[in-house]
Amino acid sequence: MIWRKGNWGRAAVVMLSATSCQLAGPSALGDAYYDQGVALYNRRDFKGASPYFDYAVRNSPSDSNAYYYCALNYQQLGDWPRAKQMYREIVQKFPGSQAYELAQSVLQKYDPDFLKKMGEQESSSPDSESSSPVATVIFMIDGRSGSTRSPDWDRLPSEGKIYFERVGNSQHIEAEVNGRRTSMVFDTGAESCVFGKNHLQALGIAPPSGPPTGLSYGVGSGGVGTWTMPVTLKVGNIERSNFQIHVQQSMPTEPLLGQTFFKDFEITTDPGDSSIHFKKKGTTGSQTSGYDVPFRRMGNEIIVLVQVNGKNCPMIFDTGADLICFSPPQVSALGLSIPDDAQEGFSTGIGGTTRTVRFNVDRIKMGPIDKSNVEVSVVEKSALDLPLLGQNFFKDWQFSIDSERNVIHFVRR
C-alpha cells in the first residue's frame, strides 16, 4: 500500500481465475437460459442471473460452462456454500475442461482441503496417474516446485539484479511492456501481474476487448472483472515473451509485478543498496548466517505465521503493502480494539476505495523481527482471507525468499 495525501494504495490481489479465458461451448451457446444468464451477469445483475443459471445447469447437466457461471454468480451474491458446492461438482464431473481449471483455482484458494482429499483419493485408485491435474494443484498447495516450472524455464537467465525506488514503503521498479517503459510495484502479495486498461492505453498498447473473463479480489473489492492477454514483459535482464498478464478496466495504482513473473527465482531484497537480486531456482547457495522463517503457499501467495500481541495469526507476506493491513473481522478475531482516537483515512486498492483507520498495536513478532508499538491499518471493505504483513514491519531487513526450502531468510541491516 502507498500512503499519499490521505489515500492508501493497493493491497494484495487474489486472481480467482489465473488461467481464465472466455468460456464457450456449443451446448451452452445454444441454451437460451445460459445466454440470458451471461447477459445479466455481465451487467452485474447477479440476482437476476441466478435463476437462469440454475435452469441452464438443470437443462444441460453435461455443460461445464453453465456450472462454472452458476458457481461464479453464487460467489458474487455472497452465497459461498452454494458456490463452493458448484465448484466441487465441476472438478468432480468435468476433469480436463477449462471450467475445471478455473474451478480449481478458486478451490485452491478457498477450499484446499477438498482438493487435497480428492488428490489422496485419486492417488489410492489403481487407475490414477501421477501426472493428473489434481496432483499438480496439490504440489502448489504444498509449496513444491517440481511440477510448476514455467514453459520458458530454459531461456531464463541464471541471475539478475534490479534496483528499486521507495515510494512510501513500497518498492517501485522499472519494467518494459512490449518495449515500452513503465514503473511497477514489486509485489509478493499479488498472485499475478496486473495492469489496468488505463496503463496499457497510456503505453500505446491496445487493451483486450469483449466481456471480462475472470475476477480479481482485493482491498475495496467485491470482485473486479479481468481479462488476460499475452505481452513481452522485461525486468532487468529477465524477459518473458508470450507472458500472460491480467488486465482490469481501470486501476488507480501502478501496475503490479506479481508472483507469476518471478516464481522461478529465489529473490533477495537488500534495503542497503535498494536492490532486488534474482537467482534461478536450484542455483542458490546455502545461507550461512541470519534467520529462517518457514512459509507455506496458498496459491502463489506466501503465508507466514505472525504473533500479534502473543496470538498466532497467519498473514500474507506482502511487499506491495505499505502497512500491516487487517479487515474488521480479523481484528475482532485477534481481540484487538480500535481506539477512539484512531486516524481515519481511505484506502484505494484494485477494487476501489474504502474507508480505513490506523492505530498502533502493542507487539507484533515474526521470527527474528520483534516490534513494539507497530502501526496497522484496518480496511472497511476487503475480500482478503488473511491479513497483510506489509513493508513497515520488515523493510529494514534484508530477506531472501527460498521457494525450494519454503523459507524466508532474514539478515539484519
Side-chain angles (χ1 to χ4, degrees):
M1 271 181 273
I2 306 164
W3 175 259
R4 284 186 188 147
K5 299 180 181 177
N7 292 324
W8 292 341
R10 58 80 47 210
V13 54
V14 180
M15 306 307 300
L16 288 191
S17 51
T19 58
S20 63
C21 56
Q22 289 194 38
L23 292 173
S27 61
L29 292 175
D31 190 305
Y33 293 127
Y34 175 90
D35 290 344
Q36 183 62 27
V38 171
L40 291 169
Y41 181 91
N42 288 335
R43 294 202 294 267
R44 303 187 66 80
D45 183 2
F46 308 120
K47 187 174 181 180
S50 187
Y52 288 97
F53 288 133
D54 288 339
Y55 294 148
V57 167
R58 285 200 294 268
N59 289 348
S60 303
S62 61
D63 185 352
S64 62
N65 297 340
Y67 272 80
Y68 178 72
Y69 262 104
C70 189
L72 203 59
N73 197 70
Y74 278 134
Q75 184 176 336
Q76 288 283 22
L77 288 170
D79 191 342
W80 265 107
R82 288 187 180 181
K84 283 204 289 189
Q85 182 57 39
M86 294 299 296
Y87 286 128
R88 289 174 175 179
E89 290 186 35
I90 290 168
V91 298
Q92 289 172 323
K93 294 180 178 180
F94 306 107
S97 69
Q98 188 177 11
Y100 171 91
E101 298 294 335
L102 295 171
Q104 270 194 331
S105 67
V106 179
L107 293 174
Q108 180 184 322
K109 177 74 178 173
Y110 293 102
D111 198 4
D113 289 341
F114 174 77
L115 289 179
K116 184 172 289 189
K117 190 174 295 183
M118 275 193 65
E120 291 169 352
Q121 290 172 352
E122 292 193 3
S123 64
S124 64
S125 168
D127 297 326
S128 65
E129 298 181 7
S130 61
S131 60
S132 67
V134 171
T136 300
V137 172
I138 299 302
F139 289 166
M140 292 174 69
I141 293 170
D142 290 342
R144 305 173 193 172
S145 60
S147 64
T148 60
R149 284 184 174 178
S150 299
D152 61 350
W153 168 268
D154 292 335
R155 297 192 300 273
L156 296 175
S158 60
E159 62 182 299
K161 187 175 185 179
I162 61 174
Y163 294 89
F164 62 84
E165 177 185 358
R166 289 280 185 190
V167 179
N169 287 327
S170 297
Q171 297 164 311
H172 289 232
I173 57 92
E174 291 296 322
E176 292 183 12
V177 184
N178 292 351
R180 297 162 171 85
R181 296 184 64 182
T182 187
S183 177
M184 300 184 72
V185 177
F186 175 71
D187 193 348
T188 59
E191 294 196 52
S192 178
C193 296
V194 191
F195 291 75
K197 286 188 177 183
N198 52 310
H199 298 136
L200 298 179
Q201 289 165 344
L203 293 171
I205 299 172
S209 59
T213 57
L215 287 173
S216 65
Y217 284 80
V219 163
S221 174
V224 177
T226 61
W227 297 258
T228 57
M229 66 176 288
V231 298
T232 297
L233 183 57
K234 183 178 181 182
V235 176
N237 65 332
I238 304 170
E239 180 173 298
R240 312 200 81 153
S241 301
N242 200 31
F243 178 78
Q244 294 291 325
I245 62 171
H246 282 83
V247 182
Q248 61 185 61
Q249 184 65 43
S250 181
M251 192 169 170
T253 67
E254 292 197 345
L256 310 179
L257 187 75
Q259 291 275 355
T260 52
F261 185 83
F262 48 75
K263 69 177 183 178
D264 297 296
F265 296 88
E266 312 301 342
I267 305 159
T268 299
T269 295
D270 187 348
D273 65 351
S274 298
S275 69
I276 302 171
H277 191 191
F278 297 85
K279 272 195 174 183
K280 203 172 180 180
K281 287 181 180 178
T283 62
T284 305
S286 59
Q287 301 284 354
T288 57
S289 62
Y291 310 85
D292 284 344
V293 173
F295 69 81
R296 63 181 175 86
R297 291 280 186 182
M298 186 170 67
N300 284 327
E301 290 171 350
I302 296 171
I303 312 301
V304 292
L305 187 63
V306 181
Q307 287 79 46
V308 180
N309 287 350
K311 293 186 177 181
N312 286 338
C313 179
M315 301 182 76
I316 298 171
F317 185 78
D318 191 354
T319 61
D322 201 45
L323 296 175
I324 297 168
C325 180
F326 297 94
S327 68
Q330 291 160 359
V331 167
S332 298
L334 288 168
L336 299 176
S337 297
I338 299 176
D340 294 336
D341 61 351
Q343 183 177 348
E344 296 184 1
F346 293 91
S347 177
T348 300
I350 63 161
T353 299
T354 182
R355 293 182 179 276
T356 58
V357 294
R358 293 187 300 169
F359 63 97
N360 288 5
V361 170
D362 291 340
R363 185 184 182 193
I364 299 181
K365 182 179 187 300
M366 179 195 65
I369 309 175
D370 191 345
K371 292 192 172 184
S372 300
N373 200 32
V374 185
E375 186 176 38
V376 302
S377 64
V378 181
V379 296
E380 185 178 83
K381 295 180 181 179
S382 170
L384 302 174
D385 287 339
L386 296 175
L388 309 179
L389 188 67
Q391 286 273 5
N392 67 315
F393 184 75
F394 53 77
K395 69 175 184 178
D396 298 325
W397 289 69
Q398 175 180 312
F399 63 86
S400 300
I401 300 173
D402 184 345
S403 295
E404 295 287 282
R405 296 191 300 135
N406 282 359
V407 297
I408 306 174
H409 186 80
F410 288 92
V411 178
R412 189 186 298 275
R413 282 298 189 212

